[in-house]
Amino acid sequence: MKKVPTWVLLILVNGIVMISGFAFFIGETVYELKNTAVNQTFENLRIFSISISNIIENFADNNSHKAYDVWVKDIDTLIKNFAQQNKKFRISLIARNGAIIAESDVDSDDIAEIENQKDKEEVEEAFKGKDATAIRESSIADMVVFYYAHPVTLNNQQYVLRLSVPQTTSIYFTTDIKNMLILTGCVILCFVLLFTSIICFNVIKGIKELEKASIEYKNGNFEYNPETESTKEISDLSKSFVNMAQSIKADKEKVLRLEKIRKDFVANVSHELKTPITSIKGFAETLLDGAIDDKETAINFVNIINNESGRLFSIIEDLLDLSRLEQENENISSVEMNLVPFLQGICKKYDIKLVTESEEFVACINPSLFVQAVNNLIENALKYGGEKSEIECVLGNDKTIAIQDKGPGIPPETRDRIFERFYRIDKGRSRATGGTGLGLSIVRHIVNLHGFSIKETGRLDGKSGCRFVIYLANPS
């Protein structure tokens, strides 16, 4: 089944809701206005009928001595005079038997020909002593008329004074007004639907742009920046998309970097283990093939086998240390101690210089692990700094510990990788010194477990040499 586009649904739903709402609103408005107009018309008729009945009653009392025919004719004339002042009103005076004896809209000679009004609902109700109203089509004029009947007593006889007004000339809510209201409502509805459509298309455009962005991100284009000029929510969502893309890009780069490190590690560890094993196997086979009978050669080969075995043992021991440090996570015990005498003992062991401007330098450390880290840094400087390189351990006032030498130094482009396992700047030279390629990686793990950080910065005096700085993140 083909799915309907969102913008079509939005416009249809909004259109149906709005049309229904406007139809209900117009219907209720027409109904209320009609009721108001009808009530106001009858109220006007009531007030007018009271005024006229008072005048007719006074007139009847003052002319009660006249003959009945003369008296009726005079009242008819009086009613016609009232009607002349406001021609939209029709005034009738109805006798008890239902006959009209005075009429504003009919000549006096023709009044007798008007049909009897006894059965009219408003007349019947008025003869019961109550004001009454009715709305119906007139028997005289082909139009809808409002009737208001008011009981009056003339010469001790009961009559009904009835006023009427055509619907078209009253304040009644006419068809023209109703049509105008409906037309106005339709125009307003069209404008609302137009603006709603514009808003819908604007929102859908933003959603389409986000959909395009998601496709671009899926295809690996994390640099794509969706251009949305929609509502605040869509704009905020667009910013979230961009932030998400940058986060995914960073994570992807991190994964790729870690994958490269993993591949390098596998290749390096394989090579590092294979090299001493190959040497051991080769020299052992040579001895078995007869070289063992030559004492001097045999002793030389056995020494090589012993050295390679020691190198292999060192690699395995360092790998085990790394594995143990990774398993330690952050659960290491530490004590608060003064690092000045602590480092003095280490520097004395290696016969290097300790530079400090303070007698006290307190930090929380795990002594055995921290000794291993500092030892690895110093031994690294001794191995690669050269025979005449001056090595110093510097305690800085900025809560740092620096191990520096005056050797060849480390190229700036490799400083981010020297802490990787088995990473060597000069592989041949590193192996000649007996290094396993794991020392700096172990140092970084120990430092990180303490909550500290380490970095190779190069010497501050601009001379060649290495400078490894441990930044104490939590000094006391």
Side-chain angles (χ1 to χ4, degrees), residues 15 70 85 87 110 136 154 170 175 230 256 321 367:
V70 176
Q85 298 175 16
K87 293 184 178 182
D110 298 329
R136 66 173 179 275
L154 306 175
S170 71
T175 301
S230 189
L256 292 175
D321 283 344

Side-chain angles (χ1 to χ4, degrees), residues 46-78:
R46 185 187 71 82
I47 295 171
F48 196 26
S49 67
I50 292 173
S51 299
I52 295 175
S53 65
N54 289 334
I55 295 172
I56 292 176
E57 286 174 352
N58 290 331
F59 179 83
D61 290 342
N62 294 332
N63 293 274
S64 59
H65 60 279
K66 292 182 180 181
Y68 179 77
D69 292 342
V70 176
W71 178 81
V72 169
K73 188 174 182 180
D74 289 344
I75 290 179
D76 181 62
T77 302
L78 180 63

Side-chain angles (χ1 to χ4, degrees), residues 224-440:
Y224 184 79
N225 188 11
E227 298 179 359
T228 56
E229 297 179 356
S230 189
T231 60
K232 181 180 183 299
E233 289 75 13
I234 297 294
S235 297
D236 290 343
L237 185 59
S238 174
K239 292 177 183 177
S240 298
F241 262 55
V242 174
N243 293 335
M244 177 190 68
Q246 295 304 314
S247 178
I248 293 174
K249 179 184 176 183
D251 290 342
K252 183 178 180 181
E253 291 175 350
K254 183 178 179 181
V255 169
L256 292 175
R257 186 168 63 253
L258 291 174
E259 180 64 16
K260 185 178 185 306
I261 293 173
R262 185 191 68 79
K263 289 180 179 179
D264 290 346
F265 170 74
V266 172
N268 287 332
V269 73
S270 300
H271 184 74
E272 293 297 333
L273 292 174
K274 185 178 179 181
T275 300
I277 290 174
T278 301
S279 296
I280 292 170
K281 186 174 184 296
F283 285 110
E285 288 175 350
T286 303
L287 288 173
L288 290 174
D289 287 341
I292 194 171
D293 296 329
D294 185 341
K295 185 177 180 181
E296 183 177 351
T297 301
I299 292 173
N300 183 40
F301 282 7
V302 169
N303 284 332
I304 293 174
I305 292 172
N306 182 59
N307 291 336
E308 293 298 319
S309 299
R311 181 181 169 197
L312 182 61
F313 179 80
S314 296
I315 292 173
I316 294 173
E317 192 175 46
D318 283 349
L319 283 173
L320 291 174
D321 283 344
L322 272 176
S323 177
R324 177 175 56 81
L325 289 170
E326 288 176 347
Q327 292 176 5
E328 286 281 354
N329 201 359
E330 297 178 357
N331 301 318
I332 63 168
S333 59
S334 58
V335 294
E336 191 176 88
M337 61 186 306
N338 186 0
L339 294 185
V340 175
F342 175 80
L343 292 173
Q344 282 176 340
I346 298 175
C347 291
K348 185 176 181 181
K349 171 186 172 183
Y350 289 101
D351 193 24
I352 64 174
K353 183 179 180 182
L354 175 65
V355 180
T356 179
E357 298 178 358
S358 175
E359 294 291 330
E360 189 175 56
F361 193 100
V362 181
C364 288
I365 64 170
N366 180 292
S368 60
L369 289 178
F370 210 73
V371 165
Q372 184 179 0
V374 176
N375 284 348
N376 282 7
L377 289 175
I378 294 175
E379 288 173 3
N380 191 74
L382 290 172
K383 288 176 185 177
Y384 304 116
E387 295 182 358
K388 298 182 179 180
S389 176
E390 181 181 342
I391 301 171
E392 293 179 335
C393 178
V394 182
L395 279 171
N397 291 329
D398 55 351
K399 302 298 182 182
T400 59
I401 300 172
I403 306 296
Q404 60 185 24
D405 60 53
K406 294 183 179 179
I410 297 174
E413 64 273 11
T414 64
R415 284 174 180 166
D416 292 336
R417 298 199 62 190
I418 56 176
F419 294 103
E420 296 175 13
R421 301 170 185 180
F422 295 114
Y423 181 80
R424 289 190 174 95
I425 300 171
D426 185 344
K427 293 181 171 58
R429 179 169 169 269
S430 298
R431 290 195 181 92
T433 61
T436 64
L438 295 171
L440 290 179

Side-chain angles (χ1 to χ4, degrees), residues 208-218 224 226 241:
K208 287 286 186 183
E209 182 65 21
L210 293 178
E211 181 184 9
K212 181 180 178 183
S214 65
I215 295 173
E216 292 290 336
Y217 299 153
K218 179 182 176 182
Y224 184 79
F241 262 55

